[in-house]
Amino acid sequence: MSDTPDIPITADRPDSAFHLSGTDHITLIGSNEADTVAFYRDILGMPLILRQPNLDAPNVTHLFFDTGDGRVITFFVEEGRQSNPAPQRTGIGAVHHLAFRFEPERLEEIKEGLEANGHRYNVFDRSIFYSLYTSDHNGLTIELTTDKFDIPDDRRAEVLATAQRLREEDGSDYAKAEHLEAALEELGIPVDPVELPDAPTGAGV
């Protein structure tokens, strides 16, 4: 284990370019839906709260699981992919990207902080949320994301599951901002939309 005494170990927030507010979700490349649900829902007890096509590859299914505290882990799966339990491999089971949440009022601060530190980024409107995409020093894609509405952490799974049902009822391919708004209203949660600048809906970095 390396020992670097000149780097302090502290829970205090550092004097950094900007501060994030927590983890939003982690997305992994999975195998098939049946095996993924069998492990994460049926063994680990994570409810499957949303299922829809991958925004960037509609032939791939995107599964969302509630990890237990309102934070979410998601998987890109596709029928025909075989599960492989062997350790230390690339492809199935590898990390697709890491996502971290930020407060919407810090959007410009985050852009400025990334630019000042030499990190390029793309901004996308993902319909039910809004994201910046950049990459770390190893090329791992990092997503910085914020909701379009104020959703209580302890009711996030409930809101997304309701939005999923509303999406299915009207036959939409993807969950949209109007599904999220309707879900909040149905559940008696105040609808508090966040003002964000327009952004394209294309693929990330």
Side-chain angles (χ1 to χ4, degrees):
M1 184 175 65
S2 64
D3 184 14
T4 313
D6 57 329
I7 299 178
I9 305 299
T10 175
D12 295 333
R13 287 186 170 233
D15 182 16
S16 54
F18 52 82
H19 294 146
L20 302 175
S21 58
T23 301
D24 191 87
H25 66 273
I26 297 172
T27 297
L28 304 174
I29 302 298
S31 54
N32 58 75
E33 181 174 348
D35 288 352
T36 304
V37 170
F39 183 77
Y40 286 91
R41 185 192 66 185
D42 300 340
I43 295 177
L44 298 187
M46 297 182 183
L48 176 62
I49 56 173
L50 190 116
R51 177 202 294 112
Q52 64 181 21
N54 175 1
L55 289 166
D56 300 320
N59 60 306
V60 175
T61 299
H62 198 179
L63 304 177
F64 291 66
F65 295 87
D66 171 33
T67 62
D69 63 353
R71 305 299 188 249
V72 174
I73 186 169
T74 84
F75 296 84
F76 293 152
V77 300
E78 188 173 0
E79 292 311 307
R81 290 181 185 169
Q82 297 299 310
S83 297
N84 180 2
Q88 301 299 317
R89 67 191 188 280
T90 58
I92 294 173
V95 175
H96 182 274
H97 71 275
L98 297 180
F100 303 95
R101 191 182 306 172
F102 67 90
E103 298 295 338
E105 61 269 19
R106 295 190 177 274
L107 176 61
E108 292 306 316
E109 177 187 348
I110 289 175
K111 289 180 180 179
E112 292 170 3
L114 290 171
E115 292 167 2
N117 287 276
H119 284 269
R120 297 174 59 190
Y121 61 86
N122 292 323
V123 182
F124 291 106
D125 184 334
R126 293 304 206 179
S127 193
I128 60 172
F129 52 91
Y130 189 97
S131 296
L132 288 81
Y133 293 85
T134 188
S135 59
D136 73 1
H137 59 289
N138 290 318
L140 178 64
T141 298
I142 303 296
E143 177 184 359
L144 307 177
T145 187
T146 192
D147 291 319
K148 289 187 172 182
F149 296 89
D150 186 13
I151 303 174
D153 280 346
D154 61 349
R155 302 194 70 183
R156 176 173 294 273
E158 187 181 8
V159 171
L160 288 177
T162 302
Q164 163 76 5
R165 175 177 57 77
L166 295 170
R167 177 189 78 80
E168 290 178 340
E169 288 176 357
D170 72 12
S172 296
D173 288 335
Y174 304 104
K176 301 176 182 177
E178 52 261 39
H179 298 128
L180 204 58
E181 182 174 359
L184 292 168
E185 291 176 345
E186 180 177 316
L187 295 168
I189 299 172
V191 177
D192 188 11
V194 173
E195 290 196 16
L196 293 162
D198 290 338
T201 58
V205 296

